[in-house]
């Protein structure tokens, strides 16, 4: 049993005054601090850039809305990370995707898992991504919260490029591209996976992304053209899949 | 410095410096190699230059997926 304390964003203890810190126990009861972002009424249609997830995970971010390239049939898909929509390979096509994610109290499916790129724990990876078909077309809007509409044509990433994203945990943040070809080891619960050719991003003022922001679409700060898909991070550096690789894998284009 | 030189240097660094325990990754920044390390103790084992290319060492801890 624990006392749950809901906060907009978790911050390092060093950035909080003593009166802002949640004590580990209150009257002997342990506390559990949970980041919720800004709590808003559950309404659909919903923009992208907000909480979602497979029932087997905590929560991630609905990156953007895509459609199969050339399709005019009205089918729309949520694009996010494999470990958000497909529970790090432990999922099957047709599984429900909740909005918001389970950690945020979500129980209502908004989409069904369609396809995911399996994470390979024995060889190099390029992307951690998946798509899920929206159950009721029109329930997910193509714009990203705060950012607005995304330009469909990807932007070639460049060092020093200013970017931004809106994610479930840190909401709207800005950052700078610092690495165009990162090869990194990512520590999943199931093991360590090697990723190659990743985009490195550092936050402009505080963290660019934290736990719960996986799946966020990174866009150019000025043009809102897509650059990358957030999937991992360490102290001060966030890593994202080049969006060209992600879109090519699923043969989709951003709506 | 040409980008192809940085790519070559990164590949060599992965072979050589990748053997150091606590090195989490390699990348290419602004005319430099980026070496991602677990902590400051590992950082001290990484040279400031590799095959003539400046090395920018970045302490990341363990890099993990960013689910909530």
């Amino acid at each position: 049993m624990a006392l749950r304390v809901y906060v907009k964003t978790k911050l390092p203890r060093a950035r909080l005054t003593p009166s802002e810190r949640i004590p580990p126990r209150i009257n002997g009861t342990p506390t559990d601090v949970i980041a919720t972002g800004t709590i808003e009424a559950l309404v659909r249609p919903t923009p992208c850039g907000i909480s979602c997830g497979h029932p087997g995970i905590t929560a991630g971010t609905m990156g953007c809305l895509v459609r199969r390239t050339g399709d005019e049939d009205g089918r729309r898909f949520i694009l996010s990370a494999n470990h958000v929509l497909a529970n790090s390979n432990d999922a099957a096509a047709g599984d429900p995707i909740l909005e918001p994610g389970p950690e945020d109290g979500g129980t209502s499916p908004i989409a069904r898992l369609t396809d995911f790129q399996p994470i390979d724990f024995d060889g190099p990876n390029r992307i951690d991504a998946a798509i899920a078909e929206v159950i009721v077309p029109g329930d997910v809007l193509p714009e990203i919260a705060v950012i607005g509409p995304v330009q469909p044509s990807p932007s070639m990433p460049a060092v020093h490029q200013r970017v931004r994203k809106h994610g479930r945990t840190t909401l709207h943040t800005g950052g700078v591209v610092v690495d165009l070809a990162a090869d990194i080891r990512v520590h999943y619960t199931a093991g360590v996976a090697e990723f190659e050719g990743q985009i490195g991003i550092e936050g402009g003022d505080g963290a660019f992304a934290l736990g719960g922001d996986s799946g966020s679409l990174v866009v150019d700060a000025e043009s809102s053209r897509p650059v990358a898909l957030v999937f991992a991070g360490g102290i001060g550096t966030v890593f994202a899949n080049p969006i060209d690789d992600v879109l090519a894998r699923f043969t989709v284009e951003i709506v | 410095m040409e980008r192809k030189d940085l790519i070559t240097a990164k590949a060599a660094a992965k072979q050589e410096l990748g053997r150091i325990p606590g090195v989490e990754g390699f990348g290419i920044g602004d005319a430099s190699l980026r070496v991602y390390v677990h902590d400051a103790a590992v950082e001290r084992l990484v040279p400031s230059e590799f095959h003539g290319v400046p090395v920018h060492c970045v302490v990341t801890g363990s890099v993990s997926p960013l689910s909530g």
Side-chain angles (χ1 to χ4, degrees):
Chain A
M1 187 172 69
L3 180 64
R4 293 162 70 96
V5 180
Y6 298 101
V7 298
K8 186 173 179 181
T9 305
K10 284 187 180 182
L11 296 172
R13 287 182 68 83
R15 289 179 59 187
L16 297 171
T17 64
S19 66
E20 291 174 327
R21 293 176 186 157
I22 306 299
R25 303 182 81 85
I26 295 177
N27 292 341
T29 303
T31 58
D32 185 10
V33 180
I34 297 161
T36 61
T38 301
I39 298 175
E40 297 173 344
L42 286 176
V43 290
R44 291 182 183 169
T46 177
C48 296
I50 53 112
S51 173
C52 76
H54 185 277
I57 74 152
T58 49
T61 296
M62 189 185 300
C64 65
L65 201 59
V66 298
R67 67 181 173 199
R68 298 285 195 189
T69 303
D71 268 6
E72 301 294 340
D73 59 5
R75 297 170 71 197
R76 295 290 182 269
F77 304 85
I78 293 166
L79 176 63
S80 186
N82 169 326
H83 70 270
V84 172
L85 299 182
N87 195 18
S88 302
N89 302 346
D90 190 9
D95 282 0
I97 303 303
L98 308 179
E99 179 276 315
E103 176 81 2
D104 300 325
T107 57
S108 172
I110 196 167
R112 294 205 174 273
L113 179 64
T114 305
D115 192 8
F116 61 94
Q117 174 62 31
I119 299 164
D120 186 345
F121 293 97
D122 298 314
N125 295 269
R126 290 286 296 187
I127 64 171
D128 172 344
I131 59 171
E133 183 171 359
V134 179
I135 296 169
V136 178
D139 264 2
V140 181
L141 300 171
E143 57 257 35
I144 296 176
V146 180
I147 291 173
V150 179
Q151 300 302 312
S153 171
S155 168
M156 182 72 76
V159 173
H160 303 309
Q161 180 179 15
R162 290 177 54 245
V163 293
R164 57 188 181 136
K165 70 100 192 65
H166 191 284
R168 173 263 187 187
T169 303
T170 57
L171 307 177
H172 183 234
T173 58
V176 176
V177 173
V178 295
D179 196 332
L180 300 178
D183 301 345
I184 48 162
R185 296 158 49 84
V186 180
H187 298 253
Y188 290 82
T189 303
V192 176
E194 307 270 353
F195 280 78
E196 295 183 348
Q198 304 302 301
I199 308 294
I201 301 166
E202 291 180 354
D205 180 21
F208 181 68
L210 293 173
D213 289 330
S214 266
S216 301
L217 184 72
V218 179
V219 301
D220 179 85
E222 304 299 327
S223 69
S224 292
R225 290 171 66 189
V227 175
L229 196 68
V230 169
F231 84 107
I235 302 166
T237 307
V238 168
F239 296 98
N241 307 147
I243 197 65
D244 277 336
D245 291 347
V246 176
L247 298 179
R249 162 60 179 81
F250 299 111
T251 322
V252 294
E253 57 191 13
I254 293 173
V255 177
Chain B
M1 184 168 295
E2 297 281 337
R3 178 165 173 78
K4 62 179 173 56
D5 297 329
L6 292 168
I7 293 171
T8 301
K10 188 182 82 166
K14 284 179 73 171
Q15 292 292 318
E16 216 169 297
L17 304 181
R19 290 194 287 262
I20 300 172
V23 170
E24 299 290 329
F26 298 86
I28 296 175
D30 190 4
S32 64
L33 283 181
R34 292 173 65 88
V35 180
Y36 299 101
V37 299
H38 187 271
D39 52 52
V42 182
E43 185 178 13
R44 287 191 284 274
L45 303 176
V46 176
S48 59
E49 191 177 281
F50 181 81
H51 292 192
V53 179
V55 170
H56 179 45
C57 211
V58 183
V59 175
T60 59
S62 292
V63 176
S64 306
L66 291 179
S67 50

